[in-house]
Amino acid sequence: MPPGVHPNLPESRQILKKTHPTRAEPQARPPKAKATMLRVIGGDMRGRKVRYNGDRSTRPMRDSVRENLFNLIGMQIKDAVVFDPFGGTGILAIESISRGARHAFVIEQNRRTLNQIRQNIDDLQLQDRIKLTPGDAFRGLGRLMHESHQQDPDAWWVLYLCPPYEMFQSRLDDINRMIQFVRSIHDRGTIVAESDNKFETEQLTGDHWDVRKYGLTQLAITDLDCVQPD
């Protein structure tokens, strides 16, 4: 006889012992990343420190990946104009300046992160080389590129597309429109897209993406003249 059933009560009045589903143990929150220092790994400022406030959403490119990136595009960086619309720590712009880039434009939306980039620029005395702009990458990049193109239409551009990885799913159309927009006003430059290693780069606008995988990180690199203009 089932537990909780009394033999002398009608079935309609039987009260079965209630069973409770096993409650899942509450998942521990991942520990907060601690503020730390990144380092410039090449060029005139090699070894200089760049502050990182520990915000996990910022996800700075690992030193080893960054070193491999600049081994691949080092020839394009010299005297280039750099655009980093998803600024994060600002380390890519800073590293580019260290390696000989002429100027860098950085956009960042998060106020705390923006202030950290500004502090890094001030600490390294790069106020004249890096222009930091608050705002949304998808809205603010166009004005900066038009401004740069008017000042120096023959410069080689380097565009870093290093947003939060989930944007390659949720904002893929916007990222592709960004690539197409850049090509519509300039045809000399290099595009670098950093994503997780499961993203299919065939979804990106442009041909001849050179894809390199470094653990969970994936870099895809192409030149602007491989993007068909509208």
Side-chain angles (χ1 to χ4, degrees), residues 88-90 111-127 132-134:
T89 61
R111 181 177 297 179
R112 182 184 176 213
T113 304
L114 183 81
N115 290 335
Q116 186 67 82
I117 299 173
R118 183 175 291 113
Q119 184 64 56
N120 287 327
I121 292 172
D122 290 346
D123 289 347
L124 297 172
Q125 299 181 340
L126 295 176
Q127 299 92 332
L132 178 62
T133 301

Side-chain angles (χ1 to χ4, degrees), residues 36-195:
T36 186
M37 289 285 191
L38 307 174
R39 65 186 180 91
V40 180
I41 55 180
D44 296 340
M45 293 184 291
R46 181 177 180 178
R48 297 290 298 274
K49 303 296 184 179
V50 175
R51 297 176 187 273
Y52 166 45
N53 60 26
D55 187 344
R56 290 185 181 278
S57 64
T58 303
R59 185 190 42 75
M61 186 182 290
R62 300 194 316 274
D63 283 6
S64 59
V65 178
R66 188 160 23 103
E67 185 169 10
N68 280 296
L69 168 62
F70 284 99
N71 285 340
L72 293 170
I73 67 169
M75 297 297 293
Q76 285 83 18
I77 287 296
K78 184 68 176 177
D79 212 31
V81 175
V82 170
F83 298 90
D84 187 1
F86 305 96
T89 61
I91 187 63
L92 287 177
I94 292 169
E95 185 85 42
S96 298
I97 294 294
S98 177
R99 292 172 180 264
R102 183 185 315 174
H103 197 78
F105 295 89
V106 179
I107 302 174
E108 177 54 51
Q109 190 169 26
N110 181 280
R111 181 177 297 179
R112 182 184 176 213
T113 304
L114 183 81
N115 290 335
Q116 186 67 82
I117 299 173
R118 183 175 291 113
Q119 184 64 56
N120 287 327
I121 292 172
D122 290 346
D123 289 347
L124 297 172
Q125 299 181 340
L126 295 176
Q127 299 92 332
D128 294 336
R129 306 283 299 278
I130 299 178
K131 179 174 182 178
L132 178 62
T133 301
D136 178 78
F138 298 104
R139 296 177 181 229
L141 184 61
R143 179 178 57 81
L144 295 177
M145 285 188 161
H146 278 300
E147 175 185 320
S148 177
H149 186 70
Q150 290 175 355
Q151 293 177 355
D152 191 351
D154 297 322
W156 187 266
W157 285 4
V158 176
L159 170 64
Y160 297 119
L161 294 178
C162 305
Y165 288 166
E166 63 84 19
M167 280 193 180
F168 284 100
Q169 303 298 326
S170 64
R171 303 293 298 271
L172 179 61
D173 289 344
D174 291 327
I175 289 173
N176 279 331
R177 277 192 286 267
M178 179 181 285
I179 295 172
Q180 195 68 57
F181 168 78
V182 177
R183 178 63 179 87
S184 71
I185 61 173
H186 204 72
D187 62 358
R188 301 184 70 251
T190 300
I191 304 174
V192 177
E194 180 198 3
S195 66

